[in-house]
């Protein structure tokens, strides 16, 4: 040991370190849960002496622990429960290289904002990865806005609003009111699909007996997302707020956001792996109901526009909108309006993005780091504690074997799901180690995290 310096808890030797601004070979030293030093390959030991554990990471890529800023553990679609819970979803997150998640506090009718936050914090206490919450406004948003300061005191400084869904729909005037109110606190995510277009289309299709899973996609056309995104951007300019278009799925959403970003700041875009891979054609097949989510899957042209948006920086964040339901619950309904909306993906997101993005499409590692971790940390107020590989940051690190090829099967999920839309997919690149606050919580692919080790991450007010 060097005089005056306690030994490192962990030394990661010789990985290719990827940040959102560069890629270089380095040693990474970890002490007391934080990154203690980044040094040239082979230099760390000379600088600080011994380490309790050394991982020889030559040939591996080290990236900031990923952040999945849109997940829905422990919720309901009518009487159907989402598969898994905070413990299993966050365990799956760690296996897949995600060390921080952000879920939602969405009050049910009759529940106050603070009651909801208290009960979500209780539910999440069993999480094994670190977590935060967005507060989701409902149609009863008046009393919720009145206690905005209390919500912020609870450490919640990002928000969500919906332009569709029973009990959640805000019209344009209401959305403007919410945006204006939260702009002093943090960013507002928006589920943007024009409810009037959706409802008219669904009425017409159901009346005509066109109720197959594929008609779910027909009932939610690109136009619905386009109109709602355009409205949200116009309102954002008026309110001078920060917004994040949740799970953008269309070329039109990307184009509107690109133009808004060119003119001024404050418009962020999130998309999800399923919108980057599957077209709505999969919903015509047997078991097409397994692919029902909102917004729906789109066309090949939309997929290309989203990938382009990721490469050029228009798309800010890749999250999962992880919201899996049991296979039987997805397949049982006879008509699309009754199919529970949502799919899983928390365990595969990071590998998917590396394999489909970096390996197949030549996406720069820096962009992967940005959309999977650094950007969500910056947009939602967790940076540089999270999403960052710098001395002083939490030692949340993923070590990925970039060459390993493997075939994914839902049998390997630890998330409590009984199926996956990614079943049988071939990937290049696999997470070998996940380190969370300095603790090796996935060791050679094996989850070792103890229940409840995840920590709630309170965030401070961030005026936009
Ligand atoms: O189909 C989806 N996306 N289900 C989850 C709820 C939401 O809209 O985020
Ligand atoms: Zn969602």
């Amino acid at each position: 040991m060097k005089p005056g310096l306690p030994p490192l808890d962990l030394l990661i030797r010789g990985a290719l370190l990827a940040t959102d601004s560069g890629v270089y070979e380095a040693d990474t030293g970890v002490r007391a849960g934080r990154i203690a030093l980044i040094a040239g390959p082979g230099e760390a030991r000379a600088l600080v002496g011994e380490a309790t554990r050394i991982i020889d990471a030559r040939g591996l890529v080290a990236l900031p622990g990923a952040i999945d800023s849109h997940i829905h553990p422990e919720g309901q679609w009518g009487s159907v429960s989402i598969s898994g819970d905070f413990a299993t979803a966050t365990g799956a997150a760690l296996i897949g290289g995600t060390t921080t998640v952000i879920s939602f506090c969405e009050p049910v009718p009759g529940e106050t904002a603070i009651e909801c936050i208290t009960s979500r914090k209780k539910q999440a206490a069993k999480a094994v990865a670190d977590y935060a919450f967005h507060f989701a406004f409902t149609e009863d948003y008046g009393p919720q806005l009145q206690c905005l300061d209390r919500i912020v005191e609870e450490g919640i400084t990002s928000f969500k609003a919906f332009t569709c869904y029973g009990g959640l729909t805000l019209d344009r005037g209401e959305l403007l009111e919410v945006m204006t109110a939260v702009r002093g606190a943090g960013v507002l995510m928006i589920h943007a699909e024009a409810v009037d277009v959706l409802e008219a289309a669904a009425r017409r299709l159901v009346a005509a007996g066109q109720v197959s899973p594929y008609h779910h996609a027909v009932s939610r056309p690109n136009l619905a997302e386009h109109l709602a995104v355009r409205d949200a951007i116009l309102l954002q300019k008026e309110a001078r707020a920060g917004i994040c278009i949740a799970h953008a799925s269309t070329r039109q959403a990307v184009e509107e956001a690109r133009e808004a970003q060119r003119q001024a700041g404050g418009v962020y875009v999130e998309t999800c792996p399923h919108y980057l891979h599957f077209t709505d054609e999969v919903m015509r097949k047997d078991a097409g109901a397994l692919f029902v989510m909102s917004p729906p899957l789109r066309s090949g042209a939309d997929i290309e526009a989203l990938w382009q948006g990721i490469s050029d920086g228009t798309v800010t964040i890749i999250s999962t909108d992880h919201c899996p339901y049991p296979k039987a619950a997805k397949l049982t309904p006879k008509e699309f309006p009754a199919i529970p909306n949502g799919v899983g993906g928390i365990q595969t997101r990071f590998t998917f993005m590396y394999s489909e993005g970096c390996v197949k499409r030549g996406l720069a590692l820096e962009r992967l780091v940005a959309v999977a971790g650094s950007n969500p940390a910056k947009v939602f107020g967790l940076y540089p504690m999270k999403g960052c590989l710098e001395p002083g940051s939490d030692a949340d690190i993923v070590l990925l074997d970039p060459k390993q090829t493997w075939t994914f099967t839902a049998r390997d999920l630890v998330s409590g799901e009984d199926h996956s839309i990614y079943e049988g997919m071939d990937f290049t690149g696999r997470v070998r180690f996940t380190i969370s606050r300095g603790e090796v919580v996935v060791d050679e692919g094996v989850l070792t995290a103890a229940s409840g080790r995840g920590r709630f991450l309170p965030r401070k007010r961030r005026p936009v």
Side-chain angles (χ1 to χ4, degrees):
M1 195 203 324
K2 292 272 160 176
L5 280 172
L8 292 171
D9 299 322
L10 175 67
L11 172 61
I12 300 167
R13 267 185 52 202
L16 188 71
L17 205 79
T19 72
D20 63 351
S21 58
V23 177
Y24 52 97
E25 262 184 55
D27 285 356
T28 306
V30 173
R31 192 185 288 120
R34 301 268 174 96
I35 295 179
L37 88 162
I38 309 273
E43 287 176 9
R45 247 170 131 175
L47 288 173
V48 294
E50 289 309 312
T52 306
R53 178 166 180 187
I54 298 174
I55 296 179
D56 182 354
R58 285 169 294 179
L60 303 185
V61 184
L63 313 98
I67 298 174
D68 191 341
S69 54
H70 187 153
I71 71 162
H72 297 276
E74 304 193 34
Q76 297 285 130
W77 176 276
S79 61
V80 183
S81 298
I82 291 171
S83 305
D85 58 18
F86 270 96
T88 60
T90 51
L94 292 178
I95 287 196
T98 294
T99 48
T100 300
V101 300
I102 313 183
S103 185
F104 296 88
C105 294
E106 187 178 298
V108 293
E111 189 179 40
T112 68
I114 302 307
E115 283 166 356
C116 174
I117 292 168
T118 306
S119 87
R120 283 301 266 175
K121 283 185 176 174
K122 262 194 203 135
Q123 280 178 333
K126 53 190 174 295
V128 296
D130 291 351
Y131 56 94
F133 295 107
H134 309 289
F135 182 83
F137 292 100
T138 69
E139 285 173 9
D140 192 23
Y141 68 95
Q144 295 160 2
L145 277 186
Q146 274 172 11
C147 65
L148 185 60
D149 286 345
R150 278 283 289 117
I151 296 173
V152 170
E153 277 167 28
E154 291 286 335
I156 299 178
T157 58
S158 53
F159 307 91
K160 187 167 181 199
F162 297 77
T163 64
C164 61
Y165 278 153
L168 296 171
T169 307
L170 302 192
D171 66 23
R172 287 182 288 209
E174 294 167 336
L175 198 52
L176 181 60
E177 197 182 338
V178 168
M179 267 186 210
T180 308
V182 303
R183 76 167 171 229
V187 166
L188 179 70
M189 295 172 80
I190 301 171
H191 180 132
E193 290 181 281
V195 69
D196 44 357
V197 175
L198 306 182
E199 287 179 354
R203 267 198 309 273
R204 176 177 53 80
L205 289 164
V206 170
Q210 297 184 311
V211 290
S212 75
Y214 178 73
H215 290 101
H216 171 78
V218 180
S219 77
R220 305 181 90 101
N222 282 39
L223 177 67
E225 183 169 282
H226 189 183
L227 288 168
V229 166
R230 201 195 53 183
D231 283 352
I233 288 171
L234 288 172
L235 296 169
Q236 175 269 341
K237 276 189 197 151
E238 179 69 20
R240 299 189 311 282
I243 62 166
C244 178
I245 306 298
H247 39 50
S249 61
T250 59
R251 172 179 63 77
Q252 291 87 350
V254 175
E255 288 172 358
E256 292 285 350
R258 185 177 288 122
E259 180 55 22
Q261 290 167 353
R262 199 183 60 74
Q263 289 179 20
V267 175
Y268 308 105
V269 179
E270 170 203 77
T271 192
C272 312
H274 39 267
Y275 299 120
L276 296 168
H277 188 67
F278 300 102
T279 71
D280 55 7
E281 286 301 312
V282 294
M283 298 167 75
R284 290 186 193 270
K285 298 184 184 157
D286 284 352
L290 297 180
F291 294 84
V292 167
M293 83 284 289
S294 295
L297 298 171
R298 306 287 185 186
S299 70
D302 293 298
I303 291 176
E304 291 311 311
L306 288 167
W307 278 112
Q308 178 56 40
I310 292 170
S311 298
D312 69 24
T314 309
V315 174
T316 327
I317 293 172
I318 308 294
S319 66
T320 55
D321 196 6
H322 181 80
C323 188
Y325 290 96
K327 190 171 184 174
K330 299 276 288 190
L331 295 179
T332 302
K334 299 274 178 289
E335 302 193 344
F336 74 79
I339 300 171
N341 281 206
V343 297
I346 200 165
Q347 196 166 321
T348 43
R349 174 186 68 129
F350 194 63
T351 305
F352 172 95
M353 286 305 298
Y354 179 77
S355 189
E356 292 294 306
C358 300
V359 177
K360 286 207 184 139
R361 290 175 177 262
L363 183 72
L365 268 174
E366 290 93 332
R367 288 297 307 144
L368 171 70
V369 171
V371 294
S374 304
N375 286 353
K378 289 172 184 171
V379 170
F380 296 123
L382 293 167
Y383 196 85
M385 183 177 57
K386 303 291 188 188
C388 180
L389 293 182
E390 290 287 343
S393 296
D394 276 2
D396 290 359
I397 305 165
V398 186
L399 295 176
L400 178 94
D401 178 346
K403 298 234 166 73
Q404 192 175 337
T405 54
W406 58 293
T407 303
F408 169 75
T409 169
R411 291 190 297 281
D412 293 339
L413 287 174
V414 301
S415 52
E417 296 166 77
D418 62 359
H419 70 285
S420 168
I421 60 171
Y422 303 100
E423 180 67 44
M425 205 165 157
D426 293 323
F427 290 129
T428 301
R430 190 163 196 171
V431 172
R432 271 183 55 191
F433 299 91
T434 304
I435 294 141
S436 165
R437 283 182 276 104
E439 185 186 343
V440 181
V441 285
V442 174
D443 203 336
E444 291 289 8
V446 178
L447 182 66
T448 59
S451 175
R453 69 164 295 286
R455 283 193 193 151
F456 173 64
L457 303 170
R459 291 166 293 150
K460 292 206 175 359
R461 190 184 286 277
R462 283 165 309 110
V464 179

